[in-house]
Structure formats: C-alpha cells, structure tokens
Amino acid sequence: MDIWQINLDSGDDLTALRDLLDPNEKARADRFLSESVARRFVVSHSAVRRILSTYVGQCAQELVFEYNGHGKPALAGGGSPSFSLSHSGELALCAVAQSGELGVDIEQWREVRVAELAKRFFSATESRHLLGLPDHELKAGFFSCWSRKEAYIKAKGLGLSLPLDQFSVELRPGMPAALLDCAYAPDDVGRFRYWNVPVPPGFAAAVAYNGPDEGAPNFRSWVFSSRA
Ligand SMILES: CC(C)(COP(=O)(O)OP(=O)(O)OC[C@H]1O[C@@H](n2cnc3c(N)ncnc32)[C@H](O)[C@@H]1OP(=O)(O)O)[C@@H](O)C(=O)NCCC(=O)NCCS
C-alpha cells in the first residue's frame, strides 16, 4: 500500500492539469466560488489521475471513474487498484492498495468545541476516552479520533448513512490506532487495520484498510512534473 501526500498549492501549469480531468470533474471545479478552492480541486484530482495511471499503465486523462450511491469513487471496470482521497487545507492524501476496502482521511486542526462535538458525533466510549485526556491533549485526541472515524467511513463507502456514534476508534495517545467496536459490522473489528499517516504539525491523518496483507504502507510525496 502506498500513501501519497500531495501539496495542493504546487503544480504550476493549471491549464495542463485541468486538461487531465473529465467533463464531470471540470464542471465541479467550475462550480467553486473560491478560486483557491477550485485550484486545489484541480490539483488534487489531476494528481490522483497521475498517481493511479502509474499503477494501471494507462494515461491519466483516459481513466474512467464510477461512483457508488454515496459518492465513493472507484476505477471503472473492476475497481482495481483500490484508492481513497482526502484533502484538508493545502494538503491531500491519496491511498492506493491492490484491492480491499480502503479509506484515508486528513484533518487540519481548527478551533472546535471539543466536548460539544464529541457528545454530538462520537460514541460513548470515544467521548469517555477523549474527556479523560488532560487539557493539553484534547485537541490532538479529538482530531485523531475524527480522522480515524472518517477513514473507516470512507473505507466502507457509506458516507454518513453509517451512524458515527455506532462505532468506536482508539484515540488515546500511546495506544495503537484501531477499530474498537462496531454495531453496524461487528466482524470489521478484527478485519480492519489502521495506520497513522505522518503529516505536518497541526494535521491528523489515518488510513483504514480491510484487504490482503500488503505490509506497512509506504509514505510518499507526490511531485508534479511538467508533463501533461
Ligand atoms: C463524503 C465524505 C467522504 C466527505 O469527507 P470529508 O472529510 O468532508 O472530505 P475528504 O476530503 O476527506 O474526502 C473527500 C473525498 O472522498 C471521496 N468520497 C466522496 N464520497 C465518498 C464516500 N461515500 N466514501 C468514500 N469516499 C468518498 C472523494 O474522492 C472525495 O473527493 P472530492 O470531493 O474531491 O471528489 C463523508 O465522510 C462526509 O461527508 N463526512 C462529513 C464529515 C463529518 O461530519 N465528520 C464527522 C466525523 S466525527
């Protein structure tokens, strides 16, 4: 498994990058009101195309995506390799595995009412673990929990139809990242593996995976070249 980190403020020739996108992606890019958000969308989607093209040996602009009923993208024609994209601020992550259920999430820390949001979105176990942390570890614990929950949701591809308080992830510092319980799919607890993704200070990121053992992920940086 490879986890690619993409700097969304890189990629000089935006026109060439935009040319890699399909009409649906171009239309989405055009709908953003903020130029910088639109730019980051073009950079992330063109990077994902370029990254996936190296695995399947096809041109980036020829890749065709299909989407499940909750919007999870997959490569058309069998969905191999599996991939997952997440973006926050100026960073994106693209996780790629040969097959299996794969979800990645990155969250930039921001000012949040930790206790209020935990009560609203986290399971009882997560809230208890979070609120047991000393004050200086609350924010890290919160975003660590958030990114691990999102990574699982994204691996399942069910969006928020999978109730956030119906499963628990490990968030306590020093404990291995893990799915602790899951009312929706109890067997997932033994099946899913988790890894933290190294990201700059002020971000939290995690990958959740259920599939053939590929060993620990390779963490890689995507560098744009000038080729289209
Ligand atoms: C749809 C969802 C995947 C969006 O997640 P997000 O954290 O807002 O955004 P991310 O950047 O991590 O992921 C977006 C990417 O996930 C992919 N994606 C979209 N729908 C998806 C789904 N159902 N399953 C998996 N991946 C999905 C797409 O590649 C998308 O990229 P794009 O928008 O550029 O096309 C979904 O999990 C969601 O809406 N979450 C809401 C956030 C929330 O309330 N979280 C509480 C956590 S405690």
Side-chain angles (χ1 to χ4, degrees):
M1 181 192 304
D2 295 321
I3 316 288
W4 293 90
Q5 183 175 303
I6 305 153
N7 180 339
L8 298 178
D9 291 336
S10 65
D12 289 340
D13 188 348
L14 203 63
T15 307
L17 298 183
R18 195 177 188 281
D19 284 345
L20 300 179
L21 308 187
D22 65 23
N24 169 48
E25 291 170 305
K26 285 178 185 161
R28 284 187 66 195
D30 292 342
R31 282 201 292 271
F32 289 110
L33 297 177
S34 154
E35 199 179 313
S36 67
V37 176
R39 187 181 195 291
R40 286 175 172 178
F41 179 91
V42 170
V43 173
S44 66
H45 280 245
S46 56
V48 167
R49 283 179 169 273
R50 286 249 184 97
I51 288 168
L52 292 176
S53 77
T54 66
Y55 292 82
V56 298
Q58 243 183 297
C59 292
Q61 60 267 53
E62 286 171 6
L63 296 177
V64 177
F65 296 102
E66 54 193 20
Y67 302 84
N68 76 4
H70 299 277
K72 179 170 175 147
L75 280 172
S80 180
S82 300
F83 75 97
S84 179
L85 167 68
S86 180
H87 27 67
S88 191
E90 75 275 22
L91 291 182
L93 295 174
C94 176
V96 186
Q98 284 175 26
S99 60
E101 296 174 291
L102 177 65
V104 72
D105 190 64
I106 180 166
E107 297 291 335
Q108 186 167 28
W109 292 11
R110 43 206 181 266
E111 288 310 318
V112 285
R113 295 198 178 110
V114 166
E116 207 176 287
L117 286 179
K119 200 170 161 199
R120 196 162 145 210
F121 292 120
F122 291 1
S123 72
T125 302
E126 290 164 341
S127 290
R128 195 175 69 251
H129 288 168
L130 183 71
L131 299 177
L133 295 179
D135 280 355
H136 68 278
E137 287 181 342
L138 274 179
K139 207 170 189 179
F142 177 84
F143 282 107
S144 174
C145 183
W146 185 303
S147 63
R148 290 171 189 179
K149 286 181 89 62
E150 279 285 335
Y152 176 68
I153 283 183
K154 293 177 74 178
K156 300 304 287 183
L158 296 170
L160 294 180
S161 69
L162 204 168
L164 288 166
D165 61 355
Q166 296 297 302
F167 68 97
S168 307
V169 298
E170 182 58 79
L171 64 89
R172 291 168 293 180
M175 302 289 282
L179 185 64
L180 296 178
D181 60 68
C182 184
Y184 161 78
D187 290 346
D188 278 355
V189 174
R191 288 188 185 138
F192 264 84
R193 298 184 69 192
Y194 260 102
W195 290 273
N196 291 325
V197 182
V199 280
F203 287 85
V207 58
Y209 173 65
N210 172 28
D213 189 1
E214 295 188 19
N218 305 303
F219 299 110
R220 313 177 68 170
S221 284
W222 177 253
V223 179
F224 281 94
S225 67
S226 53
R227 76 187 166 84

